[in-house]
C-alpha cells in the first residue's frame, strides 16, 4: 500500500475513466471525462529551512523509516536520491570508466563515496547468473547505511536489459493483444521472481503509456496498446504481478509519452493534449497503477504546454509532478525521473541545475545523471543554501525508505543465491507461460 494515497477515491476515479475510455484509444471519438480540479501547490521555499523536529517527523513513515532517516547526515540523504549506472561486472572490479565518471575505481567505492540510494544495471553488468548474484550481493555490502535499491529496465520485448539470463517473455504489445489481465499479472510475477532471484529489487516497468500515434518511435510495441481502458487494466494487473513476486514496480512515462513522433532520448517531444484530452487518453493507466499500489512512477522528458506553459519538460515541471501527480491523482510513492542523460531533459539547463530542478518539481529518485559529481554537488549546495528545503529532502528520502520497507528490504539487505536463482531463471513454468501468451495473442 502506498503511503498517503487516497486509495478508494483514486480507484473510483480510475474505474470511471477506464469505463469511459475503453471504447477507443483515439482523441476523436471517446466520451470526454471532466478533469478534476488541480489543488494549488506550494511555491518552493527561497530561504533556508530548519531540519524538521522529531515531532514533525513522527507522523512520516513507520518507526523503522523514522529511525533510518534520523541516522543520516545531509550528505547521506542527498546521496539517497541518486541511481547511476556503474561500470563493471563485480562490485570490486576496478574500471577506468568508474574512475573517470565518479573519481572512484570500483562500483563498491562509488556507492560508498556518494552514499548512493541505488544502482541501475545494464547489459554491461550482466555476464552470468553467478556473476550477477555476486555483483548485487557485493553492491549491497558496500552500502553502509540502508540497503540499496537495485533496479533495471526489464520490460521484456524491445527493452530487456537482463535478456542474457531471464526468460524470453513477450513484450507489452503482445500481452495486450491477449486482452487477458491474468496473463499480464503472471508475466509480471515471472519477471519479478527472476529479477529478485538475481538480487534486483525494482523493475522500471510496466509501461503505462497509451500508444496513440502508431508512428511513435520510442514507445510503440513497448505499450500494451492504444486503448486507454485496456492499457489501464493491463498496467494494474502487471503492478500486482510484480508485487506478487516481492519486487517494486514503476509505471512510466508520466504524464504520457504515447502521442509523439519525437524520441526523448534525442530530442524534446511536445504533446499538445488539452487537460480534457490528457484526462481521457493519458491518465487512466497511471490512475490504475496508483490504485494497484505502484511503488514508483517515472516522469517523461516531454513538454505538455496545455498542462504547463513554462516550456520545461515534465521531469522539471512542478505543475505536472506535484500539481497533477501528487495533488490531483493523490500519488505519494516515489517519483523517479527518466534517465537524466537523455537529450530531452538537457535542452535548457546544465546537468547540475537539471538535478536541482527535478527535486524542486517533485522528483525523489534522480536516475542516471550524466555527471554524478556535478549533480550531487548541485543538489547538496541547494539544500545547504535552502533552495531545496530540509523538509523537501526528507520527504524524498522518506518515500525511498518506505519503498524498501514495503518490499521487505529496509532493515536487512536481501542476499541472492546463485543456486536458488538457477532454479527460477528460464524455468519450464515460465517458458510455458511465454508460449501461452504468444498463442493467446494471435
Amino acid at each position: 500500500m502506498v503511503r498517503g494515497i487516497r486509495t478508494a477515491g483514486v480507484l473510483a476515479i480510475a474505474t470511471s475513466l477506464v469505463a469511459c475510455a475503453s471504447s477507443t484509444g483515439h482523441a476523436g471519438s471517446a466520451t470526454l471525462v471532466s478533469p478534476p480540479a488541480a489543488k494549488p501547490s506550494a511555491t518552493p521555499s527561497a530561504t533556508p529551512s530548519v531540519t524538521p523536529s522529531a515531532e514533525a517527523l513522527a507522523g512520516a513513515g513507520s518507526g523503522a523509516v523514522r529511525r533510518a532517516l534520523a541516522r543520516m547526515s545531509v550528505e547521506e540523504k542527498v546521496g539517497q536520491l541518486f541511481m547511476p549506472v556503474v561500470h563493471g561486472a563485480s562490485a570490486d572490479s576496478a574500471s577506468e570508466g568508474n574512475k573517470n565518471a565518479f573519481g572512484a575505481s570500483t562500483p563498491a567505492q562509488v556507492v560508498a563515496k556518494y552514499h548512493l540510494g541505488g544502482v541501475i544495471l545494464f547489459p554491461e553488468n550482466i555476464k552470468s547468473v553467478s556473476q550477477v548474484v555476486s555483483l548485487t550481493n557485493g553492491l549491497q555490502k558496500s552500502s553502509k547505511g540502508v540497503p540499496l535499491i537495485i533496479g533495471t529496465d526489464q520490460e521484456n520485448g524491445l527493452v530487456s536489459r537482463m535478456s542474457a539470463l531471464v526468460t524470453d517473455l513477450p513484450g507489452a504489445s503482445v500481452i495486450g493483444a491477449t486482452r487477458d489481465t491474468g496473463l499480464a499479472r503472471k508475466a509480471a510475477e515471472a519477471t519479478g521472481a527472476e529479477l529478485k532471484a538475481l538480487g534486483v529489487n525494482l523493475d522500471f516497468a510496466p509501461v503505462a503509456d497509451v500508444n496513440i500515434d502508431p508512428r511513435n518511435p520510442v514507445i510503440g510495441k513497448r505499450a500494451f496498446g492504444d486503448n486507454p481502458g485496456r492499457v489501464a487494466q493491463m498496467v494494474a494487473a502487471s503492478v500486482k504481478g510484480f508485487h506478487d513476486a516481492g519486487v517494486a514496480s514503476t509505471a512510466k512515462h508520466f504524464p504520457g509519452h504515447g502521442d509523439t513522433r519525437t524520441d526523448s532520448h534525442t530530442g524534446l517531444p511536445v504533446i499538445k493534449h488539452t487537460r480534457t484530452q490528457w484526462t481521457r487518453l493519458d491518465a487512466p493507466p497511471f490512475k490504475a497503477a496508483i490504485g494497484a499500489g505502484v511503488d514508483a512512477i517515472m516522469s517523461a522528458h516531454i513538454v505538455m504546454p496545455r498542462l504547463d506553459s513554462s516550456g520545461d519538460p515534465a521531469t522539471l515541471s512542478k505543475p505536472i509532478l506535484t500539481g497533477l501527480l501528487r495533488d490531483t491523482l493523490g500519488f505519494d510513492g516515489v517519483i523517479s525521473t527518466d534517465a537524466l542523460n537523455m537529450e530531452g531533459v538537457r535542452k535548457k539547463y546544465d546537468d547540475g541545475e537539471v538535478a536541482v530542478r527535478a527535486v524542486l518539481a517533485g522528483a525523489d529518485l534522480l536516475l542516471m545523471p550524466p555527471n554524478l559529481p556535478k549533480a550531487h554537488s548541485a543538489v547538496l549546495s541547494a539544500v545547504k543554501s535552502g533552495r531545496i528545503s530540509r523538509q523537501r529532502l526528507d520527504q524524498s528520502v522518506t518515500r525511498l525508505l518506505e519503498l524498501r520497507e514495503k518490499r521487505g528490504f529496509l532493515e536487512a539487505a536481501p542476499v541472492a543465491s546463485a543456486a536458488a536463482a538457477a532454479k527460477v531463471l528460464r524455468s519450464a513454468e515460465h517458458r510455458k507461460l511465454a508460449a501461452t501468451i504468444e498463442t493467446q495473442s494471435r
Side-chain angles (χ1 to χ4, degrees):
M1 180 177 175
V2 177
R3 179 177 68 86
I5 292 178
R6 294 170 286 281
T7 307
V10 170
L11 281 171
I13 295 171
T15 302
S16 173
L17 281 169
V18 167
C20 291
S22 61
S23 62
T24 181
H26 300 282
S29 55
T31 303
L32 296 182
V33 178
S34 298
K39 297 179 182 179
S41 56
T43 301
S45 173
T47 57
S49 63
V50 297
T51 302
S53 65
E55 291 78 7
L57 290 175
S62 70
V65 167
R66 295 197 303 272
R67 288 191 295 273
L69 183 68
R71 288 194 297 266
M72 292 183 189
S73 66
V74 171
E75 289 78 5
E76 289 168 335
K77 290 176 181 178
V78 169
Q80 287 297 302
L81 308 186
F82 288 94
M83 180 180 277
V85 180
V86 292
H87 305 289
S90 77
D92 297 319
S93 59
S95 163
E96 283 299 312
N98 288 325
K99 189 173 182 180
N100 293 336
F102 310 116
S105 295
T106 71
Q109 290 170 352
V110 176
V111 170
K113 178 177 180 178
Y114 292 97
H115 312 290
L116 294 178
V119 169
I120 182 170
L121 301 185
F122 270 72
E124 70 163 289
N125 307 116
I126 313 303
K127 307 298 179 186
S128 70
V129 173
S130 59
Q131 169 266 321
V132 174
V133 166
S134 178
L135 171 63
T136 57
N137 286 342
L139 288 170
Q140 290 292 4
K141 288 179 182 178
S142 69
S143 180
K144 303 305 180 186
V146 293
L148 285 174
I149 300 173
I150 299 180
T152 196
D153 285 294
Q154 188 59 37
E155 299 172 13
N156 298 317
L158 293 175
V159 178
S160 184
R161 309 299 188 202
M162 313 289 282
S163 61
L165 304 180
V166 302
T167 301
D168 184 18
L169 285 158
S173 63
V174 179
I175 296 172
T178 70
R179 302 193 178 191
D180 188 333
T181 56
L183 289 177
R185 184 167 182 167
K186 288 178 181 178
E189 182 179 9
T191 298
E194 296 195 10
L195 293 180
K196 187 174 182 179
L198 291 167
V200 176
N201 48 46
L202 178 143
D203 196 0
F204 287 107
V207 170
D209 302 306
V210 181
N211 195 48
I212 297 164
D213 188 336
R215 288 177 285 184
N216 190 316
V218 65
I219 302 302
K221 292 182 179 180
R222 296 168 63 192
F224 286 108
D226 62 3
N227 182 293
R230 282 197 288 273
V231 172
Q233 293 166 355
M234 292 290 177
V235 166
S238 297
V239 169
K240 293 173 183 176
F242 283 117
H243 292 172
D244 292 340
V247 168
S249 61
T250 309
K252 60 187 187 185
H253 307 80
F254 190 85
H257 206 318
D259 193 8
T260 178
R261 297 178 193 176
T262 301
D263 186 341
S264 54
H265 291 84
T266 56
L268 181 57
V270 177
I271 298 177
K272 296 181 179 180
H273 287 185
T274 65
R275 176 68 176 265
T276 298
Q277 287 174 314
W278 174 81
T279 301
R280 175 171 43 106
L281 297 173
D282 302 293
F286 293 102
K287 290 176 178 289
I290 293 169
V294 72
D295 304 274
I297 292 179
M298 178 184 283
S299 68
H301 304 327
I302 60 171
V303 173
M304 279 199 174
R306 302 292 186 87
L307 303 183
D308 177 4
S309 61
S310 70
D312 285 340
T315 297
L316 309 182
S317 168
K318 189 168 185 178
I320 290 176
L321 295 191
T322 297
L324 279 185
L325 184 51
R326 293 263 187 243
D327 296 341
T328 299
L329 300 191
F331 180 63
D332 201 21
V334 169
I335 296 178
S336 171
T337 70
D338 203 344
L340 294 178
N341 61 2
M342 294 165 60
E343 287 305 310
V345 78
R346 303 176 74 194
K347 293 289 187 182
K348 294 177 64 175
Y349 310 104
D350 70 31
D351 293 331
E353 182 68 8
V354 163
V356 171
R357 284 176 176 264
V359 175
L360 291 173
D364 307 302
L365 182 62
L366 304 174
L367 183 64
M368 297 170 58
N371 187 328
L372 176 62
K374 185 174 185 177
H376 185 279
S377 176
V379 173
L380 182 59
S381 295
V383 172
K384 289 182 175 179
S385 73
R387 184 180 177 196
I388 297 174
S389 72
R390 300 294 178 91
Q391 183 179 22
R392 173 69 194 87
L393 177 63
D394 283 353
Q395 287 172 346
S396 284
V397 178
T398 296
R399 292 185 186 108
L400 291 161
L401 294 172
E402 288 179 329
L403 182 152
R404 294 170 169 90
E405 184 175 53
K406 285 184 292 181
R407 300 300 149 226
F409 64 98
L410 173 61
E411 298 186 85
V415 179
S417 161
K423 298 177 181 178
V424 176
L425 298 171
R426 295 179 174 169
S427 67
E429 179 184 2
H430 291 175
R431 286 184 280 114
K432 181 179 179 181
L433 173 63
T436 298
I437 293 170
E438 290 283 2
T439 299
Q440 293 295 327
S441 70
R442 299 185 185 119

